Amino acid sequence: MSRWVRTVVAALACVSMGALHAATVAEGDDHAAVTLLDAWDMGNTEDVFPLLWAHNLASASVSGGVMTGVSRDTDPHFWLQFPRIASSILPANTRQKPIDAGRYNRLAVRMWLPDTVVPGTRTGRLVWHRGGDTVETFDAAYSESNLFAVYPGWHVYHFDLSGLPVSAGTPWSGAIEGLRIDPCLACAVTFKVDWARLYGMRGSGHQLTLGSGASRLVVDTDANPSNGTLGTLAADGGGKVSLAAFPPGSYRVAAITDGDYALAERGDAWDMNAQTDMLWGVMAGFSNATVADHQFSGRTAGSDPYVLLDVPARKPIDATKYRYLAIDMTLGSVPALESGLLAWWGAETATPQHPTDFVPVRAGRQTYRIDLGASPNWRGMVKALRIDPLNGPNAGSGVQVVLHSVRLTTAPGWVEPLNFDLQPLVVNARPTVRIVSPDFDTGEDYAEAELGAGWSMAGRGVAQPQFGNLSGWEYTSGIPDLGVVGNFFHATSNPASNGQTEGDPHAFLLYQQNTSPIAADTYRWLGFDLHVPMDATQQSELTTGAMARVAWKHNDTDPGVTSDDIVLMPGLNTYWLDMKALRYEPASPRVWSGNVSYLRIDPFEFTESRHFYLGRSRLTAPPTGRYVVPVTLDLADADNDTMTVEIFSGTTLLASQTGLSPGRVQLLAGLGALAVGEHALTTRISDGLNVQEINFPVPVRKLAAGTPVSAWERQALDRVFNWAEAQLPMLSPATTSTVQHNCVVPASYARRYVGVNACLMGVDGVVVYTLGDGPLRFAGPLKELLAVAGAAGF
């Protein structure tokens, strides 16, 4: 690395230190956060419906970190990740990347269902999809889990996908393209989702060691168990629990034993602190039933009143472990004739089969103790437990019953204390980063470099629109229905001709351009902003035309090629395509190469006449550098930790910086150790607990040291230099010598100001300067400075 590069890197460094919380673990390895770079925290609509029409939902919204779905019919579902549609292209900037099922094999979802959902009669399902290139393979790529019980209220549902039985398709393995949740089958209900995590168990930073004797950890958002908890985590053989299932945040925790079934497995004892202690929808034989102040209260309304306790189907009662039942109950009175208490149990949810012996009861508050293990039928895994507090032919009606608590324990008389730690446990959020550059639009743009002006749609940009099957067109300064201000080509398509399935509108970015054709081996990345108004609640929009395409050809005699479908998303979106990786329809062995004289965008395929807005478009080359590549990152950390950033090409370290606070950071990645040619870059960000590793979206092309600055880059530097001279009178043109090409670094482009012994220099996409005999100083990335200069009229 040269002296001036080291100087610039040192000048960018800043020092600040952050402190970890008293009890802190790292965030677990989560697919959405690590691979998609956007956790399923319901912070934005993209977390749950990249395509609303695929969810059988009448509406879906996100507010306050909670997604609410309103069913369209009795089969509501939503995709956490939508699979690539058959015979379509995924834009290069999509978040829709395959799931590594070997790495991410556990799922946790916090979901709410209304009280009308009756446990034992309602179930949910997981669906995953392996993708497919044809309609036939796509339709055959679905897999379905066995059904799982769902419950009213908020619950965290946990799944070990690696061993999950399937009712159709293939087990969870390999590469998975889509993951769907059916929250309640045969239910026309509203449901809510707080968060979802598809995670793995890599690393150990997400583990917490429990104290001696403890085997479970109760996890909650507060220290008040009266409003329910998030459940419990079981310790491994070494006394450690993993918090990987939970999103970053502050939690209250309590270490417990496994002595009390409800507390150990539900994370919430049957202490009558909420209706969720019972299967409220299947309670019977009571009038005016309520739950308040740690007691269930009701008046008998028949001879067989009962309540079913909440026994999660995925955490049944192990009858070999738990056998001692203690029922703390108050009876207002007891009928004179025979009546008493019964407990029932069964092997299916909400389906009791076996009763205890009749237990005599007395008026007033009593604790009734039953050894369930004394019955030969108390065996296996129990999924239903029912309490009949006053049973018998003469039990009568109108008796006030108060149920204070029910305990099912490993030892008689066992009472488990629940003491939350004074300090919260923090699941530390991994740092997040947005790559500003190098990005798709960092490299030289064809239209700016070769045509003299970019495809900005500011009064120009589309070539020969009259040839594009358009009934009318104009340039506009915004999109009224979206409230967006900007420059757009706005056009309306002709309807499809008789016998045709689409109107085939298209907008040519290049039409019969023989003077300055596209050098396809240089310019590779095509990006365009596009809005096609559509009703995203209608599935027919997708099946009848919400697809765009691009097409190109070399010259007038070339029949050309047309890409496969690009699925449109609602609203204004930017679509970036790697022209060298296009799939064509019909299939073609052709590749993006040679000189291209025609390039067009087909905005949709609807049969009827529709309108569209095409915004700024660009066709860029990979970023280049002789000595360095400027890197700009936007860093964020929910815990406000300081960070270390490293830039790699393979295993070769190109740049690093420590002590970084959240915000924008600029580094220079040195290319000295790399060979001439293209190289993929990776950035690694660490906050001391978590590491996030991200591939840059485009490769960087290293040039030979003597490669001259391009004509476009010289023009851009001249504009920046002119702007700088206008800001600093001492850099006036009168003291400026002729342009110097070797002010400091060979193959740079510079201006030397002899009167003040100063120099402005541009090379490898950065601008640096010297004053007097001082060191080289970093002014900024060329593209950022060019934007400032352009806004000032230069």
Side-chain angles (χ1 to χ4, degrees), residues 10-84:
L12 288 175
C14 60
V15 179
S16 61
M17 299 299 293
L20 297 177
H21 297 83
T24 305
V25 297
E27 180 182 355
D29 186 22
D30 174 62
H31 164 73
V34 173
T35 308
L36 306 182
L37 307 181
D38 187 2
W40 293 325
D41 57 5
M42 306 307 139
N44 58 70
T45 56
E46 292 183 3
D47 287 342
V48 287
F49 46 93
L51 295 176
L52 179 57
W53 46 61
H55 296 67
N56 282 10
L57 302 180
S59 66
S61 60
V62 170
S63 177
V66 174
M67 173 259 191
T68 300
V70 179
S71 65
R72 173 186 290 150
D73 51 33
T74 58
D75 184 26
H77 53 263
F78 64 97
W79 292 86
L80 288 169
Q81 180 167 317
F82 198 85
R84 181 180 63 84

Side-chain angles (χ1 to χ4, degrees), residues 654-674:
L654 308 182
S656 65
Q657 199 163 334
T658 61
L660 296 170
S661 297
R664 177 156 293 188
V665 59
Q666 294 176 325
L667 304 90
L668 294 178
L671 304 180
L674 302 181

Side-chain angles (χ1 to χ4, degrees), residues 15 19 34 43 78 92 171 206 248 397 425 437 502 553 723 734 749 770 775 791:
V15 179
V34 173
F78 64 97
H206 50 81
S397 299
L425 170 70
S437 68
E502 58 188 75
K553 63 180 184 177
W723 165 76
Y749 186 77
T770 61

